[in-house]
Amino acid sequence: MTSALFALALLAALAGPLALRLSRRPAFVTGRDGRLSTSTTLALAWTVVLVWLLLATLGYGLTAGGGAAWFEGEHGPLSPLTTVYLPLLGGPYAALIGAKAVVGARLERGTLAKPAPKPTPSGRRPLRELIANDSGRTDLVDLQYVALSGVTLLYVVLFFLSDVGAGLPPLPTEIWALTGAPAGAYLLNKVATRANPVITDVSVRGDRLTVEGGGLTAETARVTVDDTAVPAVPDPATGTLTAPLPDSAKPPFTVVVTTRGLRSDPYHYESAGL
C-alpha cells in the first residue's frame, strides 16, 4: 500500500504541473492550425506514463527493493520494457511523426484546408478538439484512437499500482496493438481525408452573409442556406465567402459550402445574441 501511494504521489508530481502548464499555454500540444493535436497529446501522455513507471520502479528498487541487485536477472522488474512498453510508445510516436509529414505535404500541395479555429472566450482550447474534425464534429477515427489509448493507459497504470514491487507489469505483448492499430488508422485517415471546405464561422450583417473557414475561395464555390442556393463571392485575400441572405432565412438556419463537388459539414447559425 505504501509503495502504491508513493507511486501515485510521483504521478501527481509529474502530471499535475504539466497539465496545469498546458491548460494555460497549450501551444506545445497544438497543431499548426492552432487546434489541440490528437497525436501530440497522446504521444505526450504515453511519455509521461513511461517516465513515471521507470522513476517509480527505480525509487522502489533503491529503497524497499534492496538496491541494484533487484534490477538484475532475466525476469527483472524492467524485463518487459523492450517487448511491451517501447512498442506501446512506438505507435503514438509513429502516428505523430507521420501525421505531421502528411498534413504538411498536403498543405503545401493545396490538397488540404486547415483554417484557423474560432477563438474561445477563455483563450483555452476545448478538449473536445481531440476527437473532432476541423469543423467541430466528432471524428470516429480520432474518437477510437483517444478511447482505446485511454483505456490502455488506465490498464497499465492500475496493473502497476496493484503490485509496484513486481516492477513493470508483464502485460501480454499483443497489447501494443491497442495503441498501434488505432494509431495506424489515425494516420491512414490523415492520408485519405479529402480537401473538403471547412466552415469555422458564419456572420450576418444586414442582408449579407459572410462565411469564414478554409478551402472556400475556389471559383466553383457555392453556398446554400437551408437548402436554398445563393450566389457567392470569394475573397482570396481573407479566405471568406460573401453571399446575399435569402428573404426566407431566419435564424437559426444551416449553411453549407460546396467546392469542386465537395461539401462542407453543415454549420448551424443562430442569432448573434444567442
Side-chain angles (χ1 to χ4, degrees):
M1 177 62 72
T2 303
S3 299
L5 291 176
F6 167 78
L8 277 175
L10 180 60
L11 179 59
L14 285 174
L18 180 61
L20 182 61
R21 170 68 171 76
L22 292 177
S23 68
R24 294 175 177 175
R25 297 182 180 179
F28 183 69
V29 290
T30 57
R32 62 172 61 191
D33 59 357
R35 294 176 177 84
L36 291 180
S37 169
T38 304
S39 57
T40 302
T41 302
L42 291 180
L44 177 61
W46 273 109
T47 300
V48 170
V49 168
L50 185 56
V51 169
W52 167 66
L53 289 172
L54 294 175
L55 288 177
T57 302
L58 176 63
Y60 183 90
L62 296 179
T63 54
W70 182 69
F71 293 92
E72 299 175 357
E74 181 181 354
H75 301 290
L78 299 181
S79 58
L81 183 61
T82 56
T83 58
V84 177
Y85 291 91
L86 291 184
L88 275 176
L89 188 65
Y93 269 93
L96 169 61
I97 296 169
K100 285 184 178 295
V102 169
V103 171
R106 294 192 64 184
L107 286 174
E108 290 181 3
R109 294 198 304 266
T111 59
L112 185 66
K114 297 289 286 184
K118 189 176 180 180
T120 60
S122 65
R124 301 176 181 178
R125 303 311 312 166
L127 289 177
R128 190 178 183 280
E129 289 182 344
L130 295 176
I131 60 170
N133 60 20
D134 293 342
S135 298
R137 301 182 70 184
T138 300
D139 187 301
L140 181 59
V141 176
D142 288 6
L143 176 61
Q144 61 87 32
Y145 186 25
V146 172
L148 290 178
S149 294
V151 169
T152 310
L153 280 167
L154 184 62
Y155 193 93
V156 170
V157 169
L158 292 180
F159 266 78
F160 179 70
L161 290 175
S162 68
D163 190 1
V164 176
L168 301 183
L171 305 174
T173 55
E174 293 83 3
I175 199 172
W176 70 267
L178 286 178
T179 60
Y186 174 84
L187 182 56
L188 286 175
N189 187 51
K190 294 294 183 183
V191 176
T193 298
R194 298 185 300 172
N196 292 60
V198 177
I199 301 175
T200 58
D201 193 27
V202 171
S203 58
V204 175
R205 180 171 296 179
D207 61 350
R208 302 297 296 179
L209 183 77
T210 301
V211 183
E212 301 178 22
L216 306 178
T217 58
E219 294 181 359
T220 58
R222 181 168 57 90
V223 175
T224 59
V225 179
D226 281 346
D227 299 323
T228 300
V230 293
V233 179
D235 185 347
T238 61
T240 62
L241 287 174
T242 57
L245 189 66
D247 295 336
S248 59
K250 303 296 180 184
F253 54 75
T254 300
V255 179
V256 174
V257 174
T258 303
T259 61
R260 304 184 186 92
L262 300 175
R263 297 177 74 254
S264 70
D265 287 334
Y267 186 97
H268 300 288
Y269 174 82
E270 298 181 355
S271 66
L274 294 180

